[in-house]
Amino acid sequence: MSMEAVFFDMDGLLVDSERVWLEIETGVMARLGAVWTPEHQAHLVGGSMERTIDYMLAVSGAEVPPDTVRSWMVGGMVARLSAGVELMPGAVELLDAVRAEGVPAGLVTSSLGEIADAVLKVVGRERFDVIVTADDVTHPKPDPEPYLTAARLLGAEPVRCVVLEDSPSGVAAATAAGCAVVAVPSILPIEPAPGRLVVSSLTAVTVADLRALLPA
């Protein structure tokens, strides 16, 4: 079966931004008068901004409008990422190898468009044929809508696409969409499964490995 597209998650997969999220979330929670821990972050990894804000307000008990917390989060992330972000090992190299073989590539992220834009200034928007952010869907990961949307925009069959993810939420979304998956666990563990390759780094993953995940 031919490979029609490869979709890359952003946070924790393409760029090392989970630690940046922890830094910004910790600062926002301090403004809310509460403490934020890595355990709190692990509870939300791969989730939407709305879910994060609701959780932060519930944990802190602060009576602050959600839109205010959202502006603190987005403003902090954009400023921090615009100052520079570290790429995950092997991610851009694999992305470029995929494109060199003529296979379309997409970025599919639960982050808002403003945050994705800050990352793309570093990574290069031109590397992607399609970009799907939280602004482009009604139901974020773990719902399959983000990956189904990306496949539709490229005219690709989901069963002929491979997704690269780092979170259980993202893996669930890709699997529900019918895509094969390469998982690089960052904060939470991910178990191997049929149609899923679990690796510790993308440095050893080749385009041939991606093709091998698809049904014959």
Side-chain angles (χ1 to χ4, degrees):
M1 179 181 290
S2 61
M3 184 164 64
E4 295 188 354
V6 177
F7 300 125
F8 289 72
D9 175 50
M10 187 177 78
D11 294 301
L13 186 286
L14 183 65
V15 294
D16 187 12
S17 52
E18 292 297 354
R19 58 187 177 82
V20 181
W21 278 106
L22 178 58
E23 176 186 321
I24 299 303
E25 289 163 352
T26 300
V28 169
M29 280 297 276
R31 296 179 75 170
L32 294 174
V35 175
W36 190 253
T37 67
E39 289 71 29
H40 286 131
Q41 185 193 30
H43 182 72
L44 298 168
V45 65
S48 68
M49 178 68 76
E50 286 69 25
R51 182 183 168 209
T52 298
I53 292 170
D54 288 345
Y55 183 80
M56 294 174 106
L57 288 172
V59 169
S60 67
E63 295 185 2
V64 176
D67 284 347
T68 298
V69 180
R70 179 190 177 100
S71 69
W72 292 346
M73 289 283 289
V74 175
M77 284 300 294
V78 169
R80 183 66 174 74
L81 293 172
S82 296
V85 63
E86 185 176 342
L87 302 175
M88 293 298 287
V92 169
E93 290 81 0
L94 182 58
L95 170 58
D96 289 345
V98 166
R99 291 184 56 82
E101 293 202 15
V103 179
L107 182 71
V108 182
T109 176
S110 294
S111 285
L112 299 170
E114 292 174 76
I115 296 172
D117 286 343
V119 170
L120 288 168
K121 288 178 182 177
V122 177
V123 178
R125 182 178 292 271
E126 70 280 357
R127 280 190 161 105
F128 296 99
D129 298 283
V130 66
I131 296 166
V132 176
T133 73
D135 298 327
D136 302 312
V137 298
T138 302
H139 306 290
K141 304 172 187 177
D143 192 275
E145 184 183 349
Y147 285 113
L148 293 175
T149 298
R152 175 177 53 78
L153 290 171
L154 289 176
E157 291 290 336
V159 294
R160 297 187 177 186
C161 298
V162 180
V163 167
L164 292 91
E165 272 283 357
D166 73 302
S167 72
S169 175
V171 168
T175 301
C179 304
V181 180
V182 174
V184 191
S186 58
I187 295 176
L188 299 175
I190 299 171
E191 297 299 321
R196 181 190 307 166
L197 172 66
V198 180
V199 298
S200 59
S201 169
L202 290 179
T203 54
V205 178
T206 66
V207 179
D209 293 328
L210 303 184
R211 295 186 191 279
L213 285 169
L214 298 174

